[in-house]
């Protein structure tokens, strides 16, 4: 999306609109598709999500340009489908894993996010080398979406595998109806509120450490795009396994403790770490694998490790809170409200503050304030309702 946006002869807000709209509709997708997975069948919800993602992504290749209405429709469908696909798969991994290693297994699954980013980055770089950057920005970006067709053979193999998996918490609901709050117990409703508050806090830090980091290096510090991509790619290889590391730790000490530690570390350390980016980048042009490059590389890993500590064990935290009839819905809604609404608006807030006040750290401060405020609210809410949480939250 970032590369595509460069080709548009329009304002930043216009070029970001198609990106943001995909984020904004994700919570709606998690409500509908999560309800299908919860109330009917896990694989049914996942099948519908994968089909929507695959078809809409492939059709992007055929749109005339990004200003055409069909492009926005396809972006809405993509966001809607992704709002259900990733959370449903996370819950499936949680339920299929041994009860004593759910943090480890779900953490291993979450390495698929940085792996997907590396694959997309490789496709972009190779395409530019083959046809040139100018041609890529004009028409070559379409080739990247052709790879979306790979989702269908992957899904076919995954579906065969999942049909033979024995779930430890197999849903027993065979009827289909939409999410009904009256079916939730008082404890589950209290836990749902807590999960939404914590998701917003943790997701803010997670978005900062995984997504906004690259935006800050390229757009705010004006770091050479190739150098920035090298830093992000290599640091991604190093931080990706920490999802499993924090998940394994959560199996031992409890997911809430790990998430809380990551949240505190993020609120306290994220801004100073981003400031280190500026200090190192102020030396001017940075060569790949030079000493300043390694400084940025190490700081990048540190920021991302804080992010993975926040969100790595979160699926276990949420799934421990509620009955299996509501897991996909609650986790999907929590995850997508955090990464979608807060994460999506963080880009706009960052650029708006930079344009108005010439401050590179406005967006970072916004995310930290959101994380701190919702983290405190979640803690207060939990302390006021201890009887609903003591048995389920560790």
């Amino acid at each position: 999306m970032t590369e595509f946006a460069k080709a548009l002869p329009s304002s930043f807000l216009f070029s970001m609109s198609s990106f943001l709209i995909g984020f904004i509709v994700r919570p709606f997708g998690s409500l509908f598709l999560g309800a299908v997975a919860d109330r009917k069948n896990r694989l049914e919800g996942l099948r519908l999500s994968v089909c929507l993602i695959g078809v809409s992504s492939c059709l992007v290749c055929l749109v005339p340009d990004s200003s055409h209405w069909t492009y926005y429709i396809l972006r809405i469908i993509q966001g809607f489908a992704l709002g259900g696909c990733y959370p449903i798969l996370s819950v499936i991994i949680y339920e299929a894993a041994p009860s004593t290693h759910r943090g480890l297994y779900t953490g291993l699954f979450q390495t698929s996010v940085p792996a997907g980013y590396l694959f997309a980055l490789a496709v972009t770089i190779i395409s530019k080398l083959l046809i040139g950057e100018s041609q890529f920005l004009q028409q070559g970006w379409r080739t990247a979406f052709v790879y979306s067709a790979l989702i269908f053979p992957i899904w076919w193999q995954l579906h065969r595998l999942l049909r033979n998996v024995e779930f430890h918490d197999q849903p027993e609901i065979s009827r289909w109806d939409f999410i009904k709050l009256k079916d939730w117990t008082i404890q589950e409703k209290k836990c749902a509120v807590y999960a939404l508050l914590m998701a917003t806090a943790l997701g803010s830090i997670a978005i900062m450490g995984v997504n906004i980091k690259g935006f800050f290096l390229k757009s705010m510090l004006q770091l050479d795009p190739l150098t920035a991509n090298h830093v992000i790619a290599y640091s991604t290889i190093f931080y990706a396994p920490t999802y499993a590391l924090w998940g394994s730790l959560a199996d031992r000490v409890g997911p809430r403790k790990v998430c809380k530690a990551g949240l505190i570390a993020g609120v306290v350390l994220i801004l100073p770490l981003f400031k280190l980016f500026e200090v190192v980048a102020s030396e001017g042009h940075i060569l790949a694998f030079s000493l300043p490059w390694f400084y940025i590389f190490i700081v990048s890993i540190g920021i991302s490790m804080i992010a993975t500590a926040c969100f790595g064990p979160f699926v276990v935290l949420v799934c421990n809170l509620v009955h299996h009839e509501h897991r996909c819905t609650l986790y999907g809604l929590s995850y997508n409200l955090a990464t979608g609404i807060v994460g999506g608006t963080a880009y706009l807030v960052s650029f708006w503050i930079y344009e108005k006040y010439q401050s590179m750290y406005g967006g970072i401060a916004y995310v930290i304030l959101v994380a701190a405020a919702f983290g405190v609210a979640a803690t207060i809410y939990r302390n006021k309702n201890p009887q609903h949480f003591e048995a389920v939250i560790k």
Side-chain angles (χ1 to χ4, degrees):
M1 262 312 302
T2 303
E3 303 298 334
F4 186 19
K6 291 179 181 178
L8 302 178
S10 53
S11 68
F12 177 83
L13 291 178
F14 178 80
S15 64
M16 288 294 289
S17 61
S18 60
F19 174 77
L20 292 175
I21 198 169
F23 273 98
I24 292 172
V25 299
R26 285 187 186 183
F28 299 98
S30 64
L31 278 175
F32 179 80
L33 296 170
V36 173
D38 282 333
R39 311 296 290 184
K40 190 173 183 182
N41 183 274
R42 296 282 191 258
L43 293 183
E44 186 70 24
L46 185 59
R47 185 186 300 114
L48 181 57
S49 302
V50 170
C51 289
L52 288 173
I53 289 176
V55 172
S56 59
S57 298
C58 291
L59 288 177
V60 170
C61 303
L62 305 178
V63 299
D65 56 66
S66 65
S67 61
H68 197 269
W69 63 270
T70 54
Y71 178 75
Y72 287 89
I73 295 297
L74 292 174
R75 285 293 296 159
I76 290 172
I77 296 173
Q78 282 180 322
F80 183 87
L82 193 58
C85 185
Y86 184 79
I88 294 172
L89 263 175
S90 299
V91 172
I92 288 175
I93 299 298
Y94 169 89
E95 293 176 344
S99 59
T100 55
H101 294 89
R102 283 171 164 169
L104 173 62
Y105 278 69
T106 55
L108 287 170
F109 168 68
Q110 289 183 79
T111 60
S112 62
V113 176
Y117 173 81
L118 288 176
F119 179 76
L121 188 62
V123 169
T124 301
I125 292 174
I126 293 172
S127 298
K128 285 183 178 181
L129 290 175
L130 291 176
I131 64 177
E133 182 166 357
S134 60
Q135 187 64 28
F136 175 83
L137 293 177
Q138 291 176 7
Q139 295 294 335
W141 57 268
R142 299 176 189 273
T143 60
F145 288 95
V146 173
Y147 290 97
S148 301
L150 292 174
I151 197 172
F152 295 110
I154 292 174
W155 160 249
W156 178 73
Q157 185 62 36
L158 180 63
H159 186 265
R160 291 182 59 193
L161 176 65
L162 290 176
R163 282 190 303 179
N164 299 320
V165 171
E166 179 182 352
F167 292 95
H168 292 272
D169 295 305
Q170 181 68 40
E172 300 172 354
I173 303 298
S174 59
R175 67 182 186 276
W176 156 243
D177 50 42
F178 197 62
I179 178 175
K180 293 181 179 179
L181 287 178
K182 68 179 182 180
D183 294 337
W184 294 51
T185 65
I186 296 297
Q187 176 174 319
E188 287 181 320
K189 291 178 181 178
K190 296 284 186 180
C191 289
V193 173
Y194 174 80
L196 293 172
L197 292 173
M198 281 296 290
T200 305
L202 296 170
S204 301
I205 300 299
I207 282 291
M208 181 64 67
V210 177
N211 296 67
I212 296 182
K213 178 180 63 178
F215 173 76
F216 183 82
L217 289 173
K218 296 177 185 178
S219 300
M220 297 300 177
L221 295 183
Q222 299 296 311
L223 202 65
D224 176 66
L226 184 60
T227 301
N229 284 338
H230 279 162
V231 169
I232 295 170
Y234 284 111
S235 64
T236 298
I237 295 173
F238 277 84
Y239 86 74
T242 62
Y243 279 109
L245 173 68
W246 299 128
S248 181
L249 181 62
D251 288 329
R252 292 173 172 81
V253 304
R256 187 178 71 88
K257 291 181 180 178
V258 179
C259 290
K260 187 176 180 180
L263 176 59
I264 294 173
V267 171
V268 174
L269 298 177
I270 285 291
L271 187 57
L273 288 172
F274 270 88
K275 184 65 177 177
L276 282 176
F277 276 148
E278 183 187 12
V279 172
V280 177
S282 63
E283 298 184 11
H285 182 69
I286 297 176
L287 297 176
F289 305 108
S290 62
L291 188 59
W293 185 94
F294 275 106
Y295 286 148
I296 295 178
F297 168 71
I298 292 171
V299 172
S300 176
I301 293 176
I303 292 174
S304 295
M305 286 185 66
I306 293 174
T308 57
C310 285
F311 240 42
F314 184 66
V315 59
V316 179
L317 176 64
V318 174
C319 289
N320 285 348
L321 295 176
V322 293
H323 192 259
H324 60 66
E325 290 183 33
H326 311 305
R327 281 180 184 150
C328 293
T329 303
L330 179 57
Y331 177 65
L333 186 60
S334 302
Y335 179 86
N336 288 299
L337 281 175
T339 60
I341 304 302
V342 178
T345 57
Y347 290 95
L348 282 179
V349 172
S350 297
F351 193 81
W352 179 79
I353 293 178
Y354 180 74
E355 287 289 298
K356 190 172 181 65
Y357 302 104
Q358 297 300 305
S359 171
M360 293 187 293
Y361 301 101
I364 299 172
Y366 159 75
V367 172
I368 291 174
L369 286 174
V370 170
F374 279 86
V376 170
T379 302
I380 294 174
Y381 185 81
R382 178 180 179 274
N383 292 339
K384 284 187 175 182
N385 302 274
Q387 70 277 14
H388 296 293
F389 299 100
E390 289 177 355
V392 292
I393 300 181
K394 297 181 180 180

